[in-house]
Amino acid sequence: MREDFLHYLWKHKKFRLNMLETVQGEPIVISSVGQHNLNAGPDFFNAQISIGNQLWAGNVEIHVKSSDWYLHNHEQDTAYDNVILHVVWEHDTEIFRKDNSKIPTLVLKGIVSQETLAGYNNLFLKAGKWINCENDFALVNDFDLQHWLERLYIERLERKSKGIQEVLKETKNDWEAVLFIMLAKNFGLKVNGAAFLSLAQSIDYSVVRKSQSNQTILEALFFGQAGLLESDIQNPYYQNLVGEYRFLKQKFGLSNQSVLPVQYFRLRPPNFPTIRLSQLASLYAIHINLFSMILEINTLEGFYKLFKISTSEFWKTHYTFEKESKPSAKVLTKSFIDLLLINTILPLKFCFAQIQGKHVGEDVLQIASEIKSEKNGIVEAFNKLKHVSKSAYHSQALLQLKAEYCEKNKCLQCSIGNKVIVKNT
């Protein structure tokens, strides 16, 4: 028996409510189960319960066994002095407050239906499943599932918002700088994400601002900080970048000692760090106030137009500094822009609205619902149970579901887990 299941039973009154009584034989009538407390202290605040002929207002503490009260040293904690009812699965000892007054106890074992227990056992007591509810996931009706996925997507945006706010503090509330750092990380994708992030963090954004009027200078800045201008390559473009970077390094006191090395291994040529850094330089050379523009755009097509950029001329015939290749435009693809939107742009718009105290616009949800679903192992596994992921809105929600609920066995805080138990009751 799990204590969080007992919390679920109490919170939703999933037990026989008539003829309740304490282990001491006093009748119990529950007017309010109270407010669920997920932090330190009693499990439910401000409950209203009649015990005997007296109406009490106070807190409720829940344990698997009565003796857990002493195991957790509650008798020594004044925070538990206002507990009016101790709810347990098994009663194995009398419980007293710090002042030695006896606490009334309600035993749930024997007053919970077998159907509810069967639903609980079905979730938690069968080993070897990918997720606890995999046998019942497909049976949850579409309305309930879609409502829960919307809440999960908002939760994921809220989690990402916390990380954005940390970067915002580090940049002294410079939203353009935050955008640059996040975009740089995502231009590096999984393989070079950490390296590109360290590159962006090594440059004060004021240096980027002062270099935006010239794409070659931006490329020199990015390639130099990435450690890509340290070879003996004689082509004029490379030598020009080396000279520009030496000037920038001296002028702005740049250092790339903390920048992680970029990787080429197992990357398709369009994702080579040289190509992605040139595209990033193009983006900032074309759009001076990028963050302000992002705030104004509220359609997917608008973002596709904003990010319709390519590399500089040299990279249209190269993937590396030394070897020439067949000419190609090397524009940002829609699938790449989708990743930028999912991981950077939409979370930033959400976070900005939160900080400004504004209602999070429907445009964030609308754009996410128009972007194609991500393809990864987790999303595909959910789709095998029930084809539910039809957009990035869904795939992001499913990633949140798996990481924050399924993997942590928080089924009782999950709408789907609740439905699995309730369907048998």
Side-chain angles (χ1 to χ4, degrees), residues 176-177 179-181 183-185 187 195-230 237-238 241-242 244-246 248-249 252 254-256 259-262 264 273-287 290 309-310 312 315 321:
E176 292 283 358
L179 173 62
F180 172 67
I181 289 170
L183 275 178
K185 179 179 184 296
F187 262 75
F196 278 30
L197 174 62
S198 65
L199 183 158
Q201 291 174 326
S202 74
I203 306 169
D204 191 289
Y205 188 69
S206 62
V207 179
V208 177
R209 281 194 176 97
K210 294 172 183 176
S211 306
Q212 277 184 277
S213 60
N214 189 309
Q215 182 168 342
T216 300
I217 293 176
L218 275 178
E219 287 188 335
L221 176 63
F222 296 165
F223 287 133
Q225 287 299 100
L228 296 174
L229 300 179
E230 298 170 3
Y237 170 73
Y238 186 86
L241 291 179
V242 170
E244 292 288 358
Y245 179 62
R246 284 174 180 167
L248 292 170
K249 190 173 183 179
F252 296 111
L254 299 174
S255 172
N256 63 358
V259 178
L260 300 173
V262 296
Y264 291 83
T274 47
I275 303 304
R276 292 308 184 194
L277 287 176
S278 179
Q279 290 168 335
L280 184 62
S282 293
L283 179 65
Y284 275 89
I286 294 170
H287 303 304
L290 189 57
I309 56 144
S310 180
S312 60
W315 295 107
F321 284 108

Side-chain angles (χ1 to χ4, degrees), residues 84-85 102 143 198 213 248 277 308 345:
I84 59 174
L85 183 67
K102 186 181 292 185
F143 177 82
S198 65
S213 60
L248 292 170
L277 287 176
K308 191 177 181 180
I345 306 305

Side-chain angles (χ1 to χ4, degrees), residues 120-135:
Y120 165 76
N121 291 334
N122 186 50
L123 272 179
F124 292 107
L125 301 183
K126 292 184 179 180
K129 294 186 292 186
W130 179 65
I131 58 173
N132 290 334
C133 67
E134 66 179 42
N135 296 328

Side-chain angles (χ1 to χ4, degrees), residues 172 186 327 334 412:
K172 298 179 180 179
N186 284 292
K334 283 189 175 181
L412 299 171

